[in-house]
Amino acid sequence: MMNTLKTYFLNLNFFQSSNPYNQPDDHEHRSNIIATRVYIIIYGITLSTLILSLWLSANISQVTLEYPTQNQFQTLPLDAQCPCSRISLSYGQFVSIQTRFHQVCSSDFISDRWIKAIFYDSDATYLYRADFRTIGSAQFRALSSLCDLTKTSISRSLASFNMKSIISPYVLSQSVIQSEVQTSIEQFRLTTSNTFVKQLEFVQKMIIGNQLLSALQTNIAPLYVQIFNGSLQLGYYMVYNISNDSYCDCQINDNCRVPSGIFKELKQSYINILFDNTQLMSMKIDGFSAGCMPMDSILQSTLQCFYNQTCLNELLSFLSTNESFTAMNISKYSRFEPSSTVKEIVNELMVEEWITNISYEKYYAQCAPIQCTYSKVEKHDLVNVLTTVITFHGGLTLVLKLIITHIVRFIHRKKDNEPSSQISCTYYAV
Ligand SMILES: *[C@@H]1O[C@H](CO)[C@@H](O)[C@H](O)[C@H]1NC(C)=O
Ligand SMILES: *[C@@H]1O[C@H](CO)[C@@H](O)[C@H](O)[C@H]1NC(C)=O
Ligand SMILES: *[C@@H]1O[C@H](CO)[C@@H](O)[C@H](O)[C@H]1NC(C)=O
Ligand SMILES: *[C@@H]1O[C@H](CO)[C@@H](O)[C@H](O)[C@H]1NC(C)=O
Ligand SMILES: *[C@@H]1O[C@H](CO)[C@@H](O)[C@H](O)[C@H]1NC(C)=O
Ligand SMILES: *[C@@H]1O[C@H](CO)[C@@H](O)[C@H](O)[C@H]1NC(C)=O
Ligand SMILES: *[C@@H]1O[C@H](CO)[C@@H](O)[C@H](O)[C@H]1NC(C)=O
């Protein structure tokens, strides 16, 4: 069986002698067998190259999808081009920013009730200037206005942020929108807080520059002052005893700062800057400072005591009020420490948390792409390859037949060099 197959292949001949008398010609027969082998090899190589290249090469076609839904869009390849029907979209249409403010802005301590309760309505002239009863009410009014001002500032900035537009000629992917909007929000937060802090500093500087009198006479007052040498002098100033041998004059340094507290009432209406205010102190309010201006001094204060009901009640016991107030909740999550100064909180616009919601659904609905075009890369399937091969087959055999016939004839002519034995090979089958 194997032998027959072997002899069959050894004698395989597609070419027939065109000898008119069909006389056996050994030489020609051998040539035809060789031609057949060459033919099979070339045919095989060409065909397999063709099949392989077809199989490996990809077919690229352009696909267009009309009115793609968001779900369809998300399954499209990344290079899909989906022009938006609106190129410019405003952030307000798909971004919402909300803020959660520091708990002090919703606490008792910015209420009118508190501000009225701590206001000392009897003559404050006999009180030390750093006494909480002198300056506290004004400080908390300043704190309350800081809450209002930051809220107003944020909502004004938000209105202009919402009007800002994003240019999106094509539908942008969710991750691109996310990162783009996040960057804008970050920018917005920085700009808003920088603007606010600058404005606040400007107002503070203006007050000091113009030597505006604080209504509470905490920065400047016509007072008799006992200087270090013991003499009394009438002067228009406010001085705070800082240490044994130095004091702070509000006209020279607008940042005078002394611990606030409840002090014993003075017997004279002049200020003895040499007095030891620690001896006069009945209660020290932790972290709370007094100074030339209520706004400056509240900014430099911390609200530690107002997180502690014990501390708050002790303070209330010195005030002429029967009302009760609740301390802030120290266990409530906050990005600020209880020991953070009000300035540190205000620098962050008193915001605990920015709650942003970037709605990709809304973005997509606003962009409303009319169509998507993308190129689809496909492998040729088996049917496709076979069809191409069959189409190609006819031409291939014809060309091979011609070439090989001519080559074999040429070789024969050269070998025999006899004009009489002309050989013509005819292809007869495959
Ligand atoms: C105290 O100092 C002031 C100026 O600093 C001076 O005018 C006054 O005479 C001094 N009084 C005494 C008693 O030395
Ligand atoms: C204020 O002045 C008095 C009197 O010399 C002094 O004993 C005290 O230490 C000074 N400083 C403070 C912070 O009270
Ligand atoms: C102030 O002076 C008193 C004694 O006169 C002294 O005991 C105290 O340590 C001094 N305080 C400062 C802050 O220097
Ligand atoms: C609360 O304040 C009181 C009195 O000022 C103090 O003794 C206590 O340690 C404070 N508690 C906390 C948790 O800070
Ligand atoms: C506080 O309450 C007492 C009685 O409960 C009352 O006599 C007093 O007038 C009240 N004081 C104030 C300031 O309301
Ligand atoms: C304080 O805040 C914590 C955490 O938010 C909460 O569990 C607790 O009930 C609050 N306490 C009061 C008195 O509101
Ligand atoms: C964002 O807003 C959409 C509606 O506008 C809402 O369905 C979604 O739950 C919000 N997402 C968050 C995290 O708040």
Side-chain angles (χ1 to χ4, degrees), residues 106-167:
S106 51
S107 70
D108 279 346
F109 304 114
I110 59 149
S111 66
D112 283 345
R113 195 168 70 89
W114 166 258
I115 290 167
K116 277 201 190 97
I118 61 175
F119 183 72
Y120 194 68
D121 44 6
S122 57
D123 194 358
T125 323
Y126 294 99
L127 293 177
Y128 181 51
R129 299 294 140 179
D131 197 296
F132 184 78
R133 291 165 293 181
T134 315
I135 194 172
S137 181
Q139 285 178 312
F140 277 94
R141 202 175 306 127
L143 183 64
S144 162
S145 64
L146 282 174
C147 285
D148 291 342
L149 287 171
T150 47
K151 276 180 193 164
T152 317
S153 177
I154 286 171
S155 63
R156 206 175 294 148
S157 303
L158 262 181
S160 66
F161 176 82
N162 285 341
M163 304 285 277
K164 235 181 97 176
S165 52
I166 182 171
I167 302 298

Side-chain angles (χ1 to χ4, degrees), residues 272-388:
N272 181 351
I273 64 158
L274 289 173
F275 73 27
D276 184 355
N277 51 27
T278 52
Q279 277 176 20
L280 286 173
M281 194 179 267
S282 312
M283 185 210 166
K284 185 174 183 288
I285 306 170
D286 274 337
F288 212 72
S289 300
C292 308
M293 300 296 284
M295 182 63 96
D296 293 327
S297 49
I298 188 81
L299 284 173
Q300 292 173 2
S301 300
T302 74
L303 301 170
Q304 269 157 289
C305 180
F306 303 94
Y307 282 100
N308 180 341
Q309 194 67 48
T310 321
C311 183
L312 177 63
N313 288 344
E314 196 188 341
L315 178 62
L316 283 168
S317 70
F318 289 103
L319 306 174
S320 54
T321 180
N322 277 358
E323 296 200 53
S324 66
F325 296 92
T326 318
M328 290 185 281
N329 187 346
I330 200 157
S331 31
K332 205 170 196 169
Y333 170 76
S334 170
R335 61 173 167 149
F336 304 103
E337 296 288 322
S339 57
S340 300
T341 63
V342 174
K343 175 103 182 126
E344 282 161 4
I345 302 171
V346 168
N347 283 349
E348 298 292 333
L349 293 167
M350 309 197 86
V351 171
E352 281 288 357
E353 195 183 1
W354 295 84
I355 305 151
T356 57
N357 185 343
I358 305 164
S359 165
Y360 189 71
E361 288 74 22
K362 284 185 184 166
Y363 163 77
Y364 193 85
Q366 288 296 323
C367 159
I370 298 161
Q371 63 172 34
C372 282
T373 26
Y374 59 97
S375 40
K376 201 174 177 182
V377 178
E378 272 178 332
K379 292 246 161 172
H380 287 271
D381 60 7
L382 197 63
V383 177
N384 208 324
V385 172
L386 281 180
T387 321
T388 318

Side-chain angles (χ1 to χ4, degrees), residues 128-129 219 225 237-241 247-250 271 273:
Y128 181 51
R129 299 294 140 179
N219 61 339
V225 176
Y237 27 52
M238 192 62 240
V239 284
Y240 291 97
N241 183 17
Y247 59 90
C248 180
D249 184 340
C250 287
I271 299 298
I273 64 158

